[in-house]
Amino acid sequence: MTKSPQAFRSISEAADEVGVPQHVLRFWEGKLDFIQPVKRAGGRRFYRPEDILILKDVRRLLHEEGMTIKGVERLFKDKSVRSGKVPATVTPLVKPETLSSGVNRSHLSRVLEQIEAAQARLNAVLA
């Protein structure tokens, strides 16, 4: 049985999805302030979908782009200071030029516009 994309993930599920061992997630959590899974009774960690996106970006930055932990920490700190919040992702995981059909691009453009409009409404309410 598969979980909903919006469901919280246990540390083992998160580790599998991100592609790193569980102890690596715990290490990153200790070193990077912006990684804050929900902790339940007994200290069990549960990762939200946005946590998984951040972890995938951290993994990409460390393992594929060769950044250090300090570099990743600075990058997220700089982005969060400018935007007022911790970014969900550093860069898109899928580049627009990798999409093959114009239909996909136009659909994704509309979705992006809707997301940006919703974000603007939320920011107006929070301001």
Side-chain angles (χ1 to χ4, degrees):
M1 179 175 214
T2 60
K3 284 188 173 183
S4 158
Q6 289 77 31
F8 283 32
R9 305 282 190 255
S10 68
I11 191 167
S12 62
E13 293 168 328
D16 288 343
E17 197 167 329
V18 173
V20 296
Q22 294 176 29
H23 71 272
V24 171
L25 296 182
R26 288 189 289 271
F27 175 77
W28 290 349
E29 184 184 332
K31 294 290 184 181
L32 302 169
D33 295 343
F34 55 87
I35 298 176
Q36 298 177 343
V38 175
K39 288 192 181 176
R40 301 285 186 206
R44 292 197 57 194
R45 293 166 173 84
F46 289 94
Y47 294 85
R48 298 169 292 254
E50 56 269 18
D51 294 329
I52 300 295
L53 291 175
I54 291 171
L55 291 169
K56 285 180 178 180
D57 277 339
V58 168
R59 182 191 164 285
R60 181 181 52 78
L61 291 168
L62 292 172
H63 294 237
E64 295 171 21
E65 296 187 22
M67 289 186 79
T68 63
I69 290 279
K70 287 284 186 196
V72 170
E73 187 176 37
R74 269 189 239 116
L75 180 65
F76 272 80
K77 182 180 178 188
D78 289 347
K79 288 213 179 250
S80 66
V81 166
R82 276 188 251 126
S83 68
K85 60 183 186 271
V86 175
T89 58
V90 176
T91 57
L93 295 175
V94 177
K95 294 180 176 70
E97 59 269 17
T98 63
L99 298 173
S100 58
S101 82
V103 173
N104 286 340
R105 285 183 187 210
S106 64
H107 174 71
L108 290 175
S109 293
R110 285 192 306 275
V111 170
L112 180 59
E113 288 171 7
Q114 293 171 350
I115 290 171
E116 289 171 341
Q119 182 180 18
R121 289 191 303 270
L122 285 172
N123 286 339
V125 169
L126 294 173

